[in-house]
Structure formats: structure tokens, C-alpha cells
């Protein structure tokens, strides 16, 4: 896949939780809404894509997460019947061009640029402070 997700978009993606990876799992159990956090051009010319899971389960108090306001849930094509959170303390890293997990029809919607800027800043801060664990999905 050579074209695809852009930062701020929400895609169905088979997210692999860090706890599942720790137990030897290599595939996400089901597609779930995920926010595209960052695209990074690699020296190889390929693009790394970082996904943040969106969950309806209230995160434990020791987790880094941001609640998604109802207006942003609606804007991104997500459920408005229940609270949702974007998890910041872990993420999946995949390769855009070679991913077996990305499908063009999996795009759900997008957050507003203003809201996404807040999410991106919080995520980058967590990464700088080494509070966001990467789960590699690119088989590299």
C-alpha cells in the first residue's frame, strides 16, 4: 500500500496492545478505531505510521490517555453513545507501503485540526518522556 492514512484521521486497524505483545501475540485480535498520530519518512524512503488506540474502556489512573469530546467523536465518525479515550502511553508502528493491516476502505473519519494538534502534542510529550511504548507491526 503506497497511499493511505494521514495524521488526524481515524482508521479501523487491528491494533496489538502491548500486553498482548508481551504474551507472544503478533496480531491484533480485532480491528478497532485508531487515530493516525504521526507519519515519518524513513531513510529507506518508506513511511512509518504510528497508530493510537481508541477505546471505550476507561483507562486506569496510571495510564496516559485523553477523552474524546462528543463533538470530535461525531466529527470522526465514532460512536457518540459512550465515552471514548485515545491511549497515549503505547502505540503501534507500521510501514505504510508494506502493511498487511491497512485497507483503503478502513478509513472512518478525521478529527478537527485543532483537536488533533492537542492529541499530537500530548503524544509527542509522552514519547519524549519515554512514556509511550512502541509495538512494532512492520515485521522489521
Amino acid at each position: 500500500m503506497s497511499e493511505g492514512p494521514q495524521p488526524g484521521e481515524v482508521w479501523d486497524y487491528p491494533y496489538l496492545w502491548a500486553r498482548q505483545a508481551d504474551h507472544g501475540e503478533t496480531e491484533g485480535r480485532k480491528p478497532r478505531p485508531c487515530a493516525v498520530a504521526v507519519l515519518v519518512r524513513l531513510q529507506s524512503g518508506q513511511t512509518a505510521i504510528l497508530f493510537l488506540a481508541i477505546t471505550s474502556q476507561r483507562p486506569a489512573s496510571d495510564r496516559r490517555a485523553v477523552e474524546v469530546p462528543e463533538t470530535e467523536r461525531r466529527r470522526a465518525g465514532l460512536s457518540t453513545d459512550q465515552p471514548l479515550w485515545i491511549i497515549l502511553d503505547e502505540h503501534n508502528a507500521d510501514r505504510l507501503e508494506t502493511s498487511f493491516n491497512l485497507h483503503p476502505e478502513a478509513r472512518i473519519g478525521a478529527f478537527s485540526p485543532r483537536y488533533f494538534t492537542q492529541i499530537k502534542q500530548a503524544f509527542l510529550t509522552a514519547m519524549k518522556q519515554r512514556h509511550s511504548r512502541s509495538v512494532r507491526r512492520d515485521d522489521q
Side-chain angles (χ1 to χ4, degrees), residues 19-97:
R19 69 180 180 277
Q20 294 168 337
D22 288 345
H23 288 100
E25 294 183 43
T26 59
E27 300 297 325
R29 294 180 184 175
K30 64 178 184 176
R32 73 169 43 258
C34 291
V36 177
V38 180
L39 297 177
V40 178
R41 179 68 62 189
L42 304 172
Q43 287 183 338
S44 67
Q46 290 190 325
T47 306
I49 182 168
L50 305 184
F51 285 99
L52 300 173
I54 299 172
T55 182
S56 61
Q57 301 234 350
R58 180 178 295 276
S61 61
D62 63 339
R63 302 285 316 254
R64 290 180 182 239
V66 176
E67 189 168 359
V68 182
E70 183 180 348
T71 55
E72 291 296 335
R73 293 192 310 256
R74 190 175 316 108
R75 186 175 282 129
L78 299 167
S79 171
T80 56
D81 323 357
Q82 59 188 346
L84 297 173
W85 289 267
I86 299 172
I87 303 300
L88 303 173
D89 59 8
E90 66 175 77
H91 59 278
N92 278 193
D94 209 338
R95 296 265 174 111
L96 182 61
E97 296 80 4

